[in-house]
Amino acid sequence: MQKVEDKIYYVGVNDREKHLFENLWPLPHGVSYNSYLILDDKTALVDTVDICYSDRFLQQVEILLDGRKLDYLIINHMEPDHSGSIRLLKQKYPDVILVGTPKAFDMINGFFGAAIADNKMEVKDGHKLSLGEHQLTFYTAPMVHWPEVMFTYDETVKLLFSADAFGTFGTIDGGVTDEQIDTELHMQEMYRYYSNIVGKYGNPVQKALSKLASIEVKTICSTHGPIWKKRMEEAVSIYDRLSRYEAEEGVVIAYGSMYGNTEQMAEAIAEGCVAGGIHKVILHSVSKSHQSYILSDIFRYKGLILGSPTYSNVLYPGVESLLSKIVVREIRNRYLGLFGSFTWAGAAARHLQTFSENSKMELISNALEIKQSLSQGSYAECVALGKRMAECIKG
Ligand code: FEO
């Protein structure tokens, strides 16, 4: 339990046990579920934690309250990694007033039953709540990344409780702010967190950011990862750039390969990229790299080159699965290259080409396809594809 600002305490928890976030995304460095307690004339808790950690969480709240009643539970986000302890909290503090958007209460009714919201305060954009010294304003942030999401701004200390926005993977060990702990890993993981969890909702993120443009923020308290103070602008900038689908110079080559022939194409294309002056070239075998890392790099870099062997007359399963995730996230503002292979009847290149026609990326040339194995001629074509990508990126 650490002090964040005058009268504001961190009461979140670290999860080092869960393997997959949302049962999908690997957590090699764990994750934190952040919750904050404001002890003013009135007391208010901002969000709760995953139900697996309810006991520890409630204990922390009880110690800090030290016999005082809990006046408000502010619900910025209803995803169960943050709302999971609401039922138990309500049992312990039956008079607590739940504060949230109408959509949050719709979810509360569905998840916990209407009785739990017998004492509630529905808020809309711009509504205020005074806790005494701390003056709160609520800003709705729909679809960042759920519809009920809101941000809570503490005008007194210029602090924003931002729900999942500006969140990242990685536990926070020994300290909670970026002034206390090394946050290099959290900054790197922010790309993976954004692209996998929030990535589909670039426009809503932009709308939320524009709403915040008129207020002064010195501290951001997200629901995951460190509290941003000294690196706050960097964190905001990552979310801003990624939600605009802006990219850095670099190429991601994501391919499937059963016996190495398609992989040899990928290697030759990479040679072409580097020969063309691109130094950041990342090859991902879809059978080895988890898709969360591939998506993270696709969000980060300007060039994407996809390759697949023909498998049962369609795309290689790992490539097909990756494409569906790219489509869901409507990734745009990228240069796209394609390549494929077959042994007796080609299909991969055709399917990749169809994907490109429905995507929002700029295809740099028609899909390159080889039969059986790389020849001298096709090797040169692959290198040329890489060089063409480098030219496009370099402009
Ligand atoms: Fe961390 Fe969208 O819940």
Side-chain angles (χ1 to χ4, degrees):
M1 295 177 294
Q2 307 205 32
K3 198 169 185 176
V4 178
E5 291 285 347
D6 187 37
K7 299 181 179 170
I8 303 180
Y9 296 85
Y10 179 85
V11 286
V13 296
N14 286 307
D15 184 345
R16 300 184 184 86
E17 303 300 326
K18 192 171 276 150
H19 287 274
L20 296 173
F21 190 75
E22 295 182 342
N23 240 353
L24 282 171
W25 317 109
L27 289 170
H29 311 288
V31 67
S32 68
Y33 311 117
N34 300 341
S35 169
Y36 306 90
L37 183 62
I38 307 172
L39 297 175
D40 204 339
D41 295 344
K42 298 282 184 184
T43 61
L45 192 59
V46 182
D47 291 310
T48 73
V49 303
D50 190 289
I51 194 166
C52 300
Y53 293 86
S54 294
D55 189 52
R56 195 180 301 179
F57 164 68
L58 291 173
Q59 214 175 13
Q60 294 176 154
V61 172
E62 183 182 347
I63 290 169
L64 280 170
L65 281 173
D66 194 21
R68 293 185 65 185
K69 69 186 268 240
L70 181 63
D71 294 301
Y72 299 103
L73 169 64
I74 295 164
I75 300 165
N76 282 336
H77 185 20
M78 271 301 294
E79 195 166 3
D81 51 337
H82 310 295
S83 67
S85 299
I86 290 180
R87 192 199 304 273
L88 290 170
L89 186 89
K90 175 73 179 174
Q91 282 170 9
K92 192 163 179 175
Y93 303 100
D95 297 329
V96 67
I97 299 169
L98 306 190
V99 182
T101 60
K103 280 199 166 64
F105 284 106
D106 174 63
M107 293 178 188
I108 286 169
N109 291 347
F111 283 129
F112 304 115
I116 216 165
D118 57 349
N119 211 359
K120 69 174 181 179
M121 182 187 292
E122 272 193 5
V123 294
K124 293 193 173 148
D125 204 34
H127 277 186
K128 292 178 185 292
L129 174 66
S130 173
L131 301 178
E133 191 182 325
H134 288 261
Q135 306 297 322
L136 307 180
T137 307
F138 305 107
Y139 293 96
T140 56
M143 299 320 301
V144 182
H145 62 129
W146 276 30
E148 84 298 357
V149 170
M150 67 176 190
F151 297 160
T152 299
Y153 176 60
D154 184 329
E155 198 179 331
T156 311
V157 286
K158 315 290 182 209
L159 182 150
L160 185 74
F161 298 104
S162 65
D164 281 348
F166 316 112
T168 181
F169 295 130
T171 53
I172 44 179
D173 301 334
V176 295
T177 77
D178 61 2
E179 290 170 336
Q180 295 173 308
I181 60 173
D182 185 299
T183 52
E184 269 322 295
L185 187 141
H186 302 93
M187 262 320 167
Q188 288 308 309
E189 282 283 75
M190 189 174 276
Y191 291 93
R192 197 166 65 93
Y193 181 87
Y194 178 88
S195 55
N196 289 280
I197 313 298
V198 189
K200 178 176 173 58
Y201 303 104
N203 288 337
V205 171
Q206 279 297 310
K207 277 189 192 142
L209 287 173
S210 65
K211 210 177 264 189
L212 298 179
S214 59
I215 59 173
E216 185 189 1
V217 179
K218 290 181 178 168
T219 304
I220 289 180
C221 292
S222 167
T223 44
H224 297 292
I227 292 168
W228 300 114
K229 286 177 177 279
K230 70 173 180 181
R231 300 189 81 178
M232 187 188 77
E233 283 181 17
E234 210 178 321
V236 172
S237 160
I238 290 174
Y239 267 70
D240 183 32
R241 279 186 285 118
L242 294 181
S243 59
R244 290 175 196 273
Y245 296 93
E246 285 181 9
E248 299 169 36
E249 184 177 296
V251 178
V252 178
I253 304 174
Y255 64 92
S257 188
M258 285 176 278
Y259 300 105
N261 293 298
T262 318
E263 184 172 52
Q264 279 183 284
M265 295 179 81
E267 300 273 12
I269 293 165
E271 276 182 46
C273 292
V274 172
I278 302 293
H279 299 295
K280 190 76 182 178
V281 179
I282 302 166
L283 272 81
H284 281 294
S285 161
V286 297
S287 303
K288 177 80 185 290
S289 299
H290 190 276
Q291 289 187 353
S292 65
Y293 290 90
I294 307 177
L295 284 169
S296 177
D297 285 334
I298 292 173
F299 261 87
R300 189 157 181 178
Y301 297 107
K302 185 72 181 172
L304 172 62
I305 306 181
L306 296 165
S308 175
T310 297
Y311 190 90
S312 297
N313 206 32
V314 290
L315 289 167
Y316 193 60
V319 175
E320 184 126 48
S321 168
L322 177 64
L323 295 193
S324 74
K325 291 178 176 65
I326 293 171
V327 169
V328 164
R329 287 161 180 76
E330 300 177 34
I331 301 174
R332 63 197 78 159
N333 193 24
R334 297 288 179 281
Y335 292 115
L336 178 65
L338 305 169
F339 63 101
S341 68
F342 64 96
T343 299
W344 68 94
R350 177 165 39 90
H351 285 291
L352 287 171
Q353 197 82 27
T354 303
F355 157 79
S356 76
E357 285 156 14
N358 298 320
S359 84
K360 297 184 172 179
M361 303 185 213
E362 187 177 330
L363 188 62
I364 61 169
S365 60
N366 284 334
L368 191 59
E369 190 169 40
I370 65 162
K371 184 177 180 183
Q372 290 150 1
S373 68
L374 202 60
S375 64
Q376 246 184 342
S378 52
Y379 166 79
E381 285 181 305
C382 288
V383 173
L385 174 61
K387 284 185 177 168
R388 169 88 187 119
M389 176 60 82
E391 277 169 21
C392 289
I393 291 174
K394 291 281 185 188

